Amino acid sequence: ILDEVGRGTSTFDGLSIAWASVEHIAGDACSARALFATHYHELTELAIINPKITLSFGEECGYDEGCLSIPGLYSLVLRPAGIAVEGIGLNEEPVSIRTEGFLARVLQHEIDHLDGVLFIDRLSPDRRTAAAAALERIEQRTRKRFQLPERTA
């Protein structure tokens, strides 16, 4: 069902996440977004094409989030404790999931990626300032490690 997709995969603490930009579904040329989560404790597989958060519930909870897109950077992110997500499954049937806790946070984080949002975009102004300084240090280490020239103004 998924042909020639651009995808990424990451694994952290027993959770394997993959995301994909899908160009073709069941032979029809269309644009879609896909989110796959596998091997999360009791959940063996979850695949949602075009996931959409349809409901947020519970109090906002803070948790130190990080991301393999920005290795080494972690910061407190507030997110709703629970969400409901709808989309299409790999069998082309509607999928609806209501969850809270860690899986709700992971789904929100990964759906943000599909929407072009990183966790640093959700930080408070003070935390964003601290993150900017940390990102500068990460950039300097990376430039040194790979012997890249300094950035010019």
Side-chain angles (χ1 to χ4, degrees), residues 31-91:
S31 187
R33 309 168 315 147
L35 171 66
F36 306 90
T38 59
H39 309 297
Y40 174 71
H41 300 284
E42 74 283 354
L43 180 68
T44 359
E45 182 175 86
L46 171 65
I48 306 174
I49 299 169
N50 289 339
K52 180 179 175 153
I53 297 173
T54 57
L55 175 70
S56 298
F57 58 91
E59 291 186 33
E60 282 199 334
C61 302
Y63 189 85
D64 272 347
E65 286 191 27
C67 183
L68 293 175
S69 298
I70 312 171
L73 181 64
Y74 300 87
S75 192
L76 184 73
V77 178
L78 297 175
R79 295 189 186 270
I83 58 168
V85 177
E86 293 180 357
I88 304 295
L90 292 179
N91 60 1

Side-chain angles (χ1 to χ4, degrees), residues 86-98:
E86 293 180 357
I88 304 295
L90 292 179
N91 60 1
E92 300 182 36
E93 295 292 323
V95 170
S96 180
I97 180 171
R98 182 182 170 108

